[in-house]
Amino acid sequence: QVQLHESGPGLVKPSETLSLTCTVSGGSVRNYWWSWIRQPPGKGLEWIGYIYYSGNTNYNPSLKSRVTISVDTSKNQLSLKLSSVTAADTAVYYCARVDGGGCDFWGQGTLVTVSS
Amino acid sequence: EIVLTQSPDFQSVTPKEKVTITCRASQNIGTSLYWYQQKPDQSPKLLIKYASQSFSGVPSRFSGSGSGTDFTLTINSLEAEDAATYYCHQSDSLPQTFGQGTKVEIK
């Protein structure tokens, strides 16, 4: 069974860059799209963007100027970078595998708080 | 951007009752519609793909229907473990979007 695990700093200062890694186990990143999705505390889900294992990406226009998603097939990892963060970027960040459009496997999520 | 509007926002239901949640898309998305269940402090879990296909391992009391702009998630004979927030999600066009969620509480 595919498992995903997000990791990274839980606290980021305003104006700095949020950096997260998603490690995939029990399967390969190859031949799939992989999404990053976030959820502010007590709120709904927001799609950040996704990446194909070959490196093709698509981002949410609302975040496009600040987001970079990359993949390292040798490490079976994805990464998310979000620059110039503000308190509005405080959220649980999830990585998920995309299969036929929907997300069939999700990580447990990691809470990132933006605060000085 | 396609807006997904779920109704109701909240539902309080007695065990064994039938639950119906609707998701309306602001434009035609065919059957590129997915349903997820999210329990407190857990990640979402896929229930239904392509509007009506059950994901592997999902109990048969969960079913989905619809196409175009109107979709429905039905939970037949609600069980206590079904208390959760349910989200619809479209992947027909970018950016992908989610409904605002429907919280189902057990009376």
Side-chain angles (χ1 to χ4, degrees):
Chain A
Q1 170 123 340
V2 175
Q3 294 187 315
L4 294 80
H5 179 76
E6 304 91 346
S7 59
L11 181 64
V12 181
K13 290 182 167 56
S15 79
E16 295 190 345
T17 296
L18 176 162
S19 295
L20 297 175
T21 298
C22 173
T23 301
V24 179
S25 58
S28 173
V29 297
R30 294 183 179 276
N31 301 313
Y32 286 97
W33 288 88
W34 301 85
S35 279
W36 284 96
I37 293 156
R38 70 180 183 178
Q39 185 172 36
K43 297 188 177 180
L45 300 163
E46 179 182 29
W47 181 78
I48 298 170
Y50 61 12
I51 187 166
Y52 194 51
Y53 80 100
S54 61
N56 291 350
T57 54
N58 278 293
Y59 300 134
N60 192 321
S62 67
L63 298 168
K64 188 173 183 177
S65 63
R66 300 193 291 131
V67 172
T68 302
I69 297 175
S70 58
V71 61
D72 186 334
T73 54
S74 67
K75 295 182 178 179
N76 233 29
Q77 289 180 335
L78 321 164
S79 69
L80 169 71
K81 293 187 187 301
L82 182 66
S83 63
S84 304
V85 297
T86 69
D89 295 311
T90 293
V92 175
Y93 286 76
Y94 297 101
C95 57
R97 191 180 80 168
V98 179
D99 188 16
C103 296
D104 59 353
F105 291 99
W106 295 64
Q108 85 289 350
T110 187
L111 174 63
V112 179
T113 301
V114 178
S115 175
S116 55
Chain B
E1 171 174 317
I2 294 175
V3 177
L4 297 179
T5 304
Q6 292 182 228
S7 62
D9 291 331
F10 176 84
Q11 197 163 8
S12 184
V13 187
T14 304
K16 299 188 179 180
E17 259 191 89
K18 178 180 176 179
V19 173
T20 300
I21 299 169
T22 65
C23 177
R24 175 162 288 177
S26 58
Q27 57 188 271
N28 190 328
I29 59 171
T31 57
S32 298
L33 192 284
Y34 307 85
W35 289 99
Y36 303 88
Q37 176 194 66
Q38 186 179 33
K39 297 181 180 180
D41 298 319
Q42 293 186 18
S43 55
K45 289 181 170 55
L46 180 63
L47 297 175
I48 303 290
K49 57 182 183 178
Y50 300 118
S52 63
Q53 297 179 19
S54 293
F55 184 59
S56 175
V58 173
S60 58
R61 63 182 179 275
F62 292 93
S63 63
S65 64
S67 66
T69 59
D70 293 302
F71 302 87
T72 300
L73 174 70
T74 301
I75 311 173
N76 281 302
S77 192
L78 187 81
E79 298 192 5
E81 67 184 30
D82 301 333
T85 300
Y86 294 85
Y87 293 94
C88 57
H89 164 219
Q90 68 81 21
S91 66
D92 180 72
S93 65
L94 298 177
Q96 296 189 6
T97 51
F98 291 86
Q100 81 277 14
T102 295
K103 186 173 183 178
V104 174
E105 174 194 89
I106 310 298
K107 280 183 183 175

